[in-house]
Amino acid sequence: MRVDIYRRAEADGKFSHLAVPEGRPIPQEAINVDWDTEARGEEMDENADHWDDYGIAQPAAQIEEKGYAITSVHELTD
């Protein structure tokens, strides 16, 4: 699956990430924060349980349910 990856700064120098299928806009419910583009057209394994580099658990299920996948507040990355 090809996705566009966005990130935003959180506390303590950590980041949260948002993954959206390539070319799709950030869904309305997630647009209320400032996201910076980190990668475009990143090839990711949609069957993976976790995208470690981005702290995103169950990415395929999240994208199917919400149209995007996002880092859990418990898994912020450096």
Side-chain angles (χ1 to χ4, degrees):
M1 166 183 287
R2 294 178 64 86
V3 294
D4 295 331
I5 304 288
Y6 303 91
R7 76 176 188 173
R8 71 173 176 205
E10 303 288 353
D12 300 323
K14 303 281 186 181
F15 291 92
S16 57
H17 291 86
L18 177 79
V20 179
E22 183 180 29
R24 291 192 190 164
I26 296 172
Q28 191 65 35
E29 67 267 19
I31 199 91
N32 62 339
V33 295
D34 292 328
W35 292 102
D36 295 316
T37 301
E38 182 163 316
R40 295 273 186 192
E42 181 90 9
E43 184 65 44
M44 301 295 292
D45 179 3
E46 68 263 25
N47 297 314
D49 289 332
H50 197 276
W51 289 345
D52 295 336
D53 290 346
Y54 304 115
I56 296 175
Q58 303 298 317
Q62 286 194 59
I63 289 171
E64 183 176 324
E65 178 184 333
K66 302 182 284 194
Y68 63 93
I70 193 165
T71 304
S72 163
V73 295
H74 302 292
E75 297 194 45
L76 298 176
T77 62
D78 292 327

